[in-house]
Amino acid sequence: IERICIDAVETPAPLMHIVRPGERVGLLFGATGRVLLAYCGRAEVDRVIAETPDTSTLNTDELKQSLAEIRKRGYGCTSGQRILGVTAVSVPIFDIDEKVRHSLSITGPSIRIDPQLAELTEVIVQAGVDISRSMGGSA
């Protein structure tokens, strides 16, 4: 029901850390968690929902629709969903077994990310394709 940050590249600009290597974060909120969850089976999604504490405000129909949209377009994008004032774009990384066990994300203050969102999305989608191919997966 959680994801673990493996690595993070920090900007030299003075801003807060969004997530640190080794940090565990729930899968239900944020672009990274949603991308990983989007490529899980229905039973796994239901298990994550059931086992995540305090999902009383979660609309599971909207969540499942959001996961379907992520699979369709190949990336997830959220703004202020996990942390107010933060925008994130995340893409799946497909491995040789065509499983999504990893993702790649760009995260930062919405005031900086939003004006460049289209360009950053294009860059990260291509990076996800390249990394997936290098891991033997399809894009």
Side-chain angles (χ1 to χ4, degrees), residues 2-123:
E2 295 177 321
R3 63 182 172 91
I4 300 173
C5 177
I6 295 173
D7 197 10
V9 178
E10 298 293 337
T11 177
L15 62 97
M16 65 183 167
H17 294 271
I18 305 301
V19 66
R20 292 180 175 85
E23 187 174 345
R24 295 174 178 265
V25 180
L27 290 175
L28 292 180
F29 301 101
T32 303
R34 293 250 172 129
V35 161
L36 293 169
L37 199 56
Y39 292 91
C40 291
R42 284 184 184 170
E44 187 70 9
V45 171
D46 290 340
R47 184 183 73 78
V48 169
I49 293 168
E51 293 181 15
T52 300
D54 193 25
T55 57
S56 59
T57 60
L58 180 69
N59 182 322
T60 56
D61 291 335
E62 286 180 10
L63 169 68
K64 290 177 181 181
Q65 178 62 34
S66 171
L67 300 179
E69 289 172 14
I70 289 169
R71 284 190 306 273
K72 181 178 178 181
R73 70 177 177 248
Y75 68 91
C77 181
T78 59
S79 186
Q81 189 179 72
R82 196 173 73 78
I83 300 172
L84 190 62
V86 172
T87 296
V89 182
S90 187
V91 295
I93 304 297
F94 292 88
D95 64 19
I96 197 165
D97 298 322
E98 297 302 328
K99 303 260 187 206
V100 175
R101 296 180 177 107
H102 303 90
S103 66
L104 180 67
S105 303
I106 295 175
T107 304
S110 298
I111 197 165
R112 285 178 149 166
I113 298 292
D114 292 356
Q116 305 175 67
L117 191 57
E119 179 183 343
L120 292 171
T121 299
E122 186 177 321
V123 168

